[in-house]
Amino acid sequence: MASDSKKSRVEQQIDENLKRVYDDAMKDELPDRFLDLIAQLRAKEGAEKNDK
């Protein structure tokens, strides 16, 4: 039974750490290079839709 509670605490700690890393990543802004690439893709999609 002790190993179950230890595993439970370890899993809980892993979950908390993963959530913390995810939350930190979501707060970061996208690099300008990514924003430029997204804008280029949207422009290309818009041009393709207008050609149809």
Side-chain angles (χ1 to χ4, degrees):
M1 192 93 167
S3 65
D4 288 341
S5 64
K6 182 178 181 182
K7 181 179 177 184
S8 197
R9 282 185 277 145
V10 169
E11 287 177 346
Q12 182 180 4
Q13 199 170 27
I14 291 170
D15 287 347
E16 289 171 2
N17 288 333
L18 287 172
K19 288 176 186 176
R20 187 177 308 115
V21 168
Y22 178 80
D23 287 342
D24 288 346
M26 295 309 299
K27 290 177 187 175
D28 288 344
E29 291 185 29
L30 286 176
D32 290 339
R33 179 69 178 137
F34 285 169
L35 295 174
D36 292 343
L37 290 171
I38 290 169
Q40 289 174 15
L41 288 170
R42 286 183 177 154
K44 185 176 180 180
E45 286 177 352
E48 289 175 358
K49 285 181 184 179
N50 290 335
D51 288 342
K52 290 183 180 181

